């Protein structure tokens, strides 16, 4: 069975790795719902999914957000209210064995 953890546990890991406060923002459009881990100063108002470039995020003024978003979770990344760890990334880096050990210990 695939490993899964609570959203709060993954958020705690993201804060630990980045040494920053992380906010959870849930957004949706006509096609899907996504969950973002963002820093408090990130202003994201909308998003689209582009086949070539992946997710593109826009601020309140309609300008493309250039900053990297620490974690993007699509609906397919959740099962039974938990985040599936396969393919999960924080800061565009896959989870290390150390990260997985932290998650397992913290979530138990």
């Amino acid at each position: 069975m695939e490993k899964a953890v609570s959203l709060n546990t993954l958020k705690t890991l993201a804060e630990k790795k980045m040494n920053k406060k992380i906010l959870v923002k849930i957004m949706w459009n006509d096609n899907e719902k996504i969950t973002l881990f963002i820093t408090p100063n990130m202003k994201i108002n909308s998003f689209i999914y582009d086949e070539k470039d992946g997710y593109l995020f826009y601020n309140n003024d309609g300008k493309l957000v250039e900053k990297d978003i620490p974690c993007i979770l699509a609906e397919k990344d959740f099962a039974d209210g938990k985040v599936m760890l396969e393919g999960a990334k924080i800061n565009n880096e896959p989870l290390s064995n150390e990260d997985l050990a932290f998650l397992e210990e913290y979530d138990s």
Side-chain angles (χ1 to χ4, degrees):
M1 184 174 153
E2 239 182 273
K3 291 184 181 179
V5 296
S6 71
L7 186 64
N8 192 47
T9 300
L10 190 61
K11 176 183 171 274
T12 301
L13 175 64
E15 288 178 334
K16 178 182 175 243
K17 286 183 71 121
M18 296 185 62
N19 293 320
K20 290 183 180 180
K21 181 78 173 154
I22 297 290
L23 302 175
V24 176
K25 182 168 187 154
I26 299 171
M27 301 180 69
W28 55 93
N29 63 16
D30 294 338
N31 302 319
E32 64 183 316
K33 178 174 84 173
I34 61 171
T35 304
L36 306 174
F37 289 178
I38 61 173
T39 56
N41 62 343
M42 289 181 132
K43 306 296 182 213
I44 298 175
N45 189 47
S46 62
F47 72 96
I48 60 169
Y49 183 80
D50 181 70
E51 293 290 328
K52 181 179 151 198
D53 298 323
Y55 287 104
L56 301 173
F57 297 94
Y58 298 90
N59 65 16
N60 294 341
D61 299 327
K63 295 181 181 172
L64 187 64
V65 174
E66 299 292 335
K67 294 181 184 177
D68 284 337
I69 295 171
C71 187
I72 302 169
L73 301 168
E75 286 180 90
K76 66 177 177 48
D77 297 324
F78 288 88
D80 298 324
K82 294 201 170 211
V83 179
M84 306 307 290
L85 295 179
E86 185 174 319
K89 293 181 179 183
I90 296 177
N91 272 346
N92 291 321
E93 296 176 10
L95 300 177
S96 67
N97 289 337
E98 183 180 299
D99 295 339
L100 295 173
F102 172 85
L103 291 170
E104 191 173 305
E105 182 180 313
Y106 192 87
D107 204 42
S108 56

